[in-house]
Amino acid sequence: MSKPTSGVSAARRNAEAPLNKTKKRESDFKLEQQRENEALALKTARLRELRLAKEAADRSAVAASPPPARRPKPRRSKQT
């Protein structure tokens, strides 16, 4: 003898189908957001490394170059 619940389960599947689609869409959206956040973090880290390397190179270039020669200030005579 077949069970009469097959009609109920079909109705239940039909009712839960939109809910399952919504849950799937939400999980896909959250996964995509997480991937974008990770990509942004990697990009930021790479740019930070480049900036720090450039700043270090600039500091070493400044330290390696001799300071500019200072010109003595001309003396002014006192006017009485």
Side-chain angles (χ1 to χ4, degrees), residues 51-64:
R51 178 179 50 84
L52 291 175
K54 181 184 180 302
E55 288 175 356
D58 290 346
R59 280 193 301 269
S60 65
V62 168

Side-chain angles (χ1 to χ4, degrees), residues 32-60:
E32 184 64 28
Q33 270 189 328
Q34 183 180 5
R35 286 181 184 160
E36 287 176 3
N37 288 340
E38 289 172 358
L40 182 63
L42 287 173
K43 179 181 174 183
T44 303
R46 182 178 57 84
L47 290 173
R48 182 179 296 129
E49 287 179 20
L50 290 172
R51 178 179 50 84
L52 291 175
K54 181 184 180 302
E55 288 175 356
D58 290 346
R59 280 193 301 269
S60 65

